[in-house]
Amino acid sequence: MKPLKAIKYILSEYDHKVFNEYRKVEALFMDLCIDPMYTQEVNTLLVAVKMRVPKELLKKNEVDELRELALIKQMIDDYGIKRDLAFEAIFTWSDAIHGNMVHKKLGSTLQDLKIEAAKGDMNKQFELGKAYLRGFVLLEDTKEIIEKDASKAFEFFMLAAKSDHVEAKNYLGYCYDQGIGVTKDSKKAKDFYQQSAKQGSLNALYNVANCYEYGIGIAQNESKAFKYYEKLYKKGYVEAIYKLAWFYENGISINEDRKHALVLYREAGEKGSSQAQYYLGQCYQHPSQGEPNINEAKKWYYLAAKNNHPKARFHLSQL
């Protein structure tokens, strides 16, 4: 079992109770992570466990930046752990106890879920589709694990969409867009996005805007994309703020306005957009004018890393 799966398994076994017995956690790690190729990662995670598990679990969405960065420094200084591995270990464990990667209760047994889905319960069909798309979803009652399976994800999304499940249509669009469990088909992706958007899905409307911006299954039309992003912005859709900032910064379908773009990037970052947070980290680390502000760069990279931005952790580890 890989280290990340071991963390998830341990958390599910203990049902989010406080981990007071480090040796018990250590024993579970050693039992679970027996593959020798993960020896270094397991040892690093054990150090993270020993240093990081508090007497009371941190509440979800409470970020203690200074504590986590201090723990990372201690891992590097006191234990001789490589910087990038230390960052990954702390963030992995932190993600788990914050609830970002832990199991989700879907029902009593996988068989029960499939029976309900077969009877036509579109919500169960949709939940199963998401579980197979995401992978490693744990059923609390039986400890059964739903592994990632693109074909099954597509199958359940299609069943739910046939029952007119709005978000299932959006997910079907995503499957066709990315070629998940089905042959990639941009036109079908756009069609399903539009169907879902017409029924009120803001997620789908954002995807429709993307289709117009990049010419996915339809002729590229950046002006239309901009209007859709504006509409989403007025409805409070966070990622649309980032998109509008990009359009203003680069003068796409609107007069270039870098000052307004920065205001929008900051607004998006403060509201949780990982892309905006990463961008702000880049701006402060490599400003077009003036001196770098490393503390501000760290702050924004840190927030982006907590939101699982793929590049943020690397940049943070290099500062």
Side-chain angles (χ1 to χ4, degrees):
M1 185 179 289
K2 295 181 180 180
L4 179 56
K5 286 195 175 183
I7 286 179
K8 293 177 180 178
Y9 180 79
I10 289 168
L11 286 170
S12 66
E13 280 290 289
Y14 281 87
D15 196 25
H16 288 199
K17 292 177 183 175
V18 178
F19 297 119
N20 290 321
E21 301 177 55
Y22 167 70
R23 291 298 174 193
K24 189 177 290 186
V25 179
E26 180 182 33
L28 272 171
F29 264 113
M30 299 313 291
D31 287 342
L32 292 166
C33 300
I34 57 175
D35 191 328
M37 72 179 289
Y38 296 117
T39 301
Q40 187 179 12
E41 285 82 354
V42 171
N43 288 337
T44 303
L45 286 165
L46 286 173
V47 172
V49 172
K50 188 173 184 178
M51 292 178 3
R52 148 141 208 103
V53 177
K55 290 184 178 179
E56 294 181 3
L57 286 175
L58 298 175
K59 293 180 181 178
K60 190 174 181 181
N61 296 328
E62 283 188 1
V63 177
D64 187 349
E65 175 182 355
L66 294 177
R67 171 178 167 78
E68 292 187 352
L69 293 178
L71 288 172
I72 290 165
K73 186 176 186 303
Q74 186 182 344
M75 291 176 73
I76 296 166
D77 294 343
D78 296 352
Y79 295 88
I81 291 170
K82 291 180 181 179
R83 181 181 296 271
D84 57 345
L85 202 55
F87 268 83
E88 192 63 33
I90 288 293
F91 275 109
T92 298
W93 188 259
S94 177
D95 284 341
I97 69 168
H98 277 286
N100 295 338
M101 296 191 209
V102 295
H103 61 280
K104 180 179 181 181
K105 185 174 182 179
L106 293 181
S108 55
T109 69
L110 181 56
Q111 186 62 29
D112 288 343
L113 284 172
K114 288 182 176 179
I115 289 172
E116 291 302 313
K119 289 179 179 178
D121 188 324
M122 66 177 180
N123 292 319
K124 291 292 191 298
Q125 293 165 347
F126 178 60
E127 288 300 324
L128 279 170
K130 288 196 297 181
Y132 280 116
L133 179 67
R134 175 188 177 194
F136 200 81
V137 175
L138 187 69
L139 301 180
E140 289 180 336
D141 294 343
T142 63
K143 301 297 185 288
E144 291 175 282
I145 294 172
I146 298 177
E147 296 288 359
K148 191 171 183 178
D149 189 319
S151 295
K152 287 183 179 179
F154 178 81
E155 175 189 336
F156 281 110
F157 288 141
M158 181 61 79
L159 284 172
K162 286 179 178 178
S163 296
D164 214 28
H165 193 289
V166 176
E167 283 301 327
K169 293 178 183 179
N170 180 44
Y171 273 77
L172 267 184
Y174 177 71
C175 288
Y176 276 112
D177 194 352
Q178 301 297 316
I180 298 172
V182 68
T183 302
K184 190 172 182 177
D185 189 322
S186 297
K187 187 178 183 304
K188 284 185 178 179
K190 180 266 300 180
D191 289 343
F192 276 113
Y193 286 148
Q194 286 183 325
Q195 287 178 41
S196 183
K198 286 177 181 177
Q199 290 181 261
S201 170
L202 295 183
N203 294 322
L205 186 59
Y206 178 79
N207 288 328
V208 170
N210 270 262
C211 287
Y212 278 109
E213 181 181 356
Y214 299 109
I216 299 171
I218 198 168
Q220 187 177 24
N221 190 326
E222 292 173 331
S223 179
K224 268 194 173 182
F226 180 81
K227 290 177 181 177
Y228 278 123
Y229 290 135
E230 271 195 320
K231 184 177 180 179
L232 285 161
Y233 173 59
K234 290 174 182 177
K235 291 179 178 291
Y237 197 89
V238 174
E239 289 303 330
I241 308 173
Y242 170 81
K243 284 291 190 176
L244 284 178
W246 174 259
F247 273 57
Y248 274 104
E249 181 186 12
N250 295 282
I252 303 171
S253 300
I254 194 75
N255 291 331
E256 182 181 306
D257 189 338
R258 290 178 175 269
K259 186 175 179 180
H260 184 54
L262 187 58
V263 171
L264 289 172
Y265 279 128
R266 182 172 287 276
E267 181 182 351
E270 288 172 348
K271 290 183 177 180
S273 167
S274 64
Q275 293 187 88
Q277 290 162 349
Y278 175 76
Y279 175 86
L280 288 165
Q282 291 271 283
C283 287
Y284 282 110
Q285 185 182 6
H286 306 291
S288 56
Q289 296 180 356
E291 295 295 318
N293 186 331
I294 300 303
N295 287 333
E296 278 293 305
K298 281 183 179 180
K299 168 190 169 182
W300 290 108
Y301 281 142
Y302 178 86
L303 291 171
K306 294 297 292 183
N307 275 327
N308 299 313
H309 191 283
K311 296 181 181 178
R313 293 183 186 182
F314 171 77
H315 284 282
L316 188 58
S317 72
Q318 303 305 304
L319 293 178

